[in-house]
Amino acid sequence: MRTVRRLAAIAAILPLSLQAQAGQVVGPGGTSQLGNPTGWIPSVQGGAAIGVTTNNPRLGWAGYGSGSLEMSVTGVVNPANGQYPDWGFWYRYAGGTAQNTINSGASFGNLASLSAMSFDWYRSFIPGWDTPSPVGVASPVPPIDWVYKTPVLRLQLREQRAGQADVLSELVWEGYYNSTAGQHTPTNTWVSETNMQSDNFWYLRPPVVGGSASYSLNAACDQQMSFWQGGILSNNTAGLFGSTGCLFGASVDVIGIAVGVGSQWPLPYHGFVDNVQLGFTGQNGLALDANFDFVPSSTVPEPSTYALMAAGLLALGIVARRRTSSNTID
């Protein structure tokens, strides 16, 4: 009888083990392969490329290290408008998709309570990347930030203001605003970017149309760039709040996050990202803990496999119980 109870206990635990994993391993196409089932959404334009590969593995959540999120842009100008159209990002929204998140009011947490944010990035060396004025750059704006370029992280925000409709805005983290003069971005090595809630971001929301003076804030907070400007203002998350900040009088939810490489990058670029995390004060564990990897099918049983295992153990328990009963009768 004791054996039967043990088998039943194991059978009850197995189907729940997958649900107990708070993290997430994400594979090709943004599909969750392990843990949290919410997928990532690719956004690609121009000649950019982004996707999970095994070319530069980074050990991450649950001990899997068979890959990472690889990204690249060509640095080729569009002769029709003189712009560099390449754009490659992966987005993850609290409600699954942008529209579901907006409709449901879902969020990862409040920006003012952001207590942990980190990701790992890697920049591949490309000959000529470290030159003051890279050869062949047809751009009206000197690439003053090129030697500081890192993969980019973006926070999607929903600002709730009294008496106003919600505003969707964005914070963008780039290495350029968090570098030391003269210390260029390291290449061919993984970098763990931690404590990012204390780093500098540039803030972006659509220009206010017909807004009042109290809503329109100031020019630095209302700008929308059509081309890269290295002199754009940046601030840390705490500095965005208050009477002089962009978020004065607003309750701000983090509704999405994205990692990738942006448009207007005037040279070929190749990098990798892994281990994206978000945490908020008062929450139990991390709100987001994503690792990009290929997971071999033999490594992690599917939920259906757990169900079969549970059924098999229960069957064994029933057989064992019948044999015990039979032996008692005899």
Side-chain angles (χ1 to χ4, degrees):
M1 187 65 180
R2 185 176 300 172
T3 301
V4 175
R5 288 174 179 172
R6 287 176 179 173
L7 289 170
I10 294 172
I13 292 171
L14 279 173
L16 298 176
S17 61
L18 195 62
Q19 299 176 11
Q21 295 163 341
Q24 178 185 45
V25 177
V26 186
T31 302
S32 177
Q33 295 184 292
L34 181 63
N36 190 298
T38 307
W40 288 66
I41 303 171
S43 175
V44 183
Q45 69 182 34
I50 183 169
V52 174
T53 71
T54 58
N55 292 334
N56 191 10
R58 178 70 164 171
L59 186 63
W61 182 79
Y64 296 103
S66 58
S68 59
L69 185 63
E70 184 173 8
M71 56 197 65
S72 64
V73 294
T74 65
V76 176
V77 67
N78 182 345
N81 56 18
Q83 305 291 301
Y84 300 87
D86 291 0
W87 169 280
F89 277 89
W90 271 21
Y91 286 80
R92 166 77 187 278
Y93 292 98
T97 67
Q99 196 59 52
N100 286 346
T101 301
I102 294 170
N103 292 342
S104 66
S107 76
F108 290 115
N110 190 277
L111 182 64
S113 301
L114 183 63
S115 59
M117 183 162 67
S118 63
F119 79 131
D120 296 346
W121 57 264
Y122 183 107
R123 174 172 178 161
S124 301
F125 174 79
I126 297 177
W129 78 279
D130 201 16
T131 57
S133 299
V135 177
V137 177
S139 169
V141 179
I144 60 175
D145 65 320
W146 182 255
V147 294
Y148 304 105
K149 282 291 191 188
T150 62
V152 177
L153 183 144
R154 315 167 76 95
L155 288 182
Q156 314 291 302
L157 309 177
R158 179 178 57 241
E159 300 179 34
Q160 303 170 54
R161 300 172 182 269
Q164 299 284 349
D166 289 353
V167 173
L168 301 181
S169 58
E170 187 174 63
L171 293 180
V172 183
W173 184 96
E174 298 194 24
Y176 174 68
Y177 293 110
N178 297 280
S179 57
T180 302
Q183 295 182 357
H184 296 166
T185 298
T187 59
N188 294 343
T189 184
W190 279 100
V191 177
S192 292
E193 207 69 54
T194 60
N195 197 35
M196 293 175 66
Q197 68 275 14
S198 299
D199 283 355
N200 288 332
F201 297 77
W202 56 269
Y203 169 87
L204 174 66
R205 67 178 169 88
V208 175
V209 178
S212 64
S214 61
Y215 181 65
S216 190
L217 299 175
N218 58 66
C221 297
D222 293 335
Q223 60 189 330
Q224 187 174 35
M225 297 185 299
S226 60
F227 195 85
W228 170 247
Q229 300 169 3
I232 190 172
L233 299 177
S234 62
N235 210 330
N236 59 33
T237 54
L240 290 167
F241 291 93
S243 59
T244 60
C246 298
L247 303 177
F248 176 63
S251 175
V252 185
D253 288 328
V254 178
I255 63 173
I257 190 170
V259 288
V261 290
S263 58
Q264 311 308 340
W265 286 22
L267 288 172
Y269 189 93
H270 184 210
F272 300 84
V273 161
D274 215 338
N275 302 325
V276 182
Q277 297 183 337
L278 284 178
F280 297 84
T281 301
Q283 290 186 352
N284 183 18
L286 292 170
L288 176 69
D289 187 4
N291 173 224
F292 302 105
D293 271 319
F294 281 102
V295 179
S297 58
S298 59
T299 303
V300 183
E302 295 292 329
S304 58
T305 304
Y306 281 118
L308 287 173
M309 291 170 64
L313 287 171
L314 286 173
L316 288 174
I318 293 171
V319 170
R321 186 173 182 180
R322 286 178 176 174
R323 286 179 177 175
T324 301
S325 299
S326 177
N327 291 336
T328 301
I329 294 173
D330 290 342

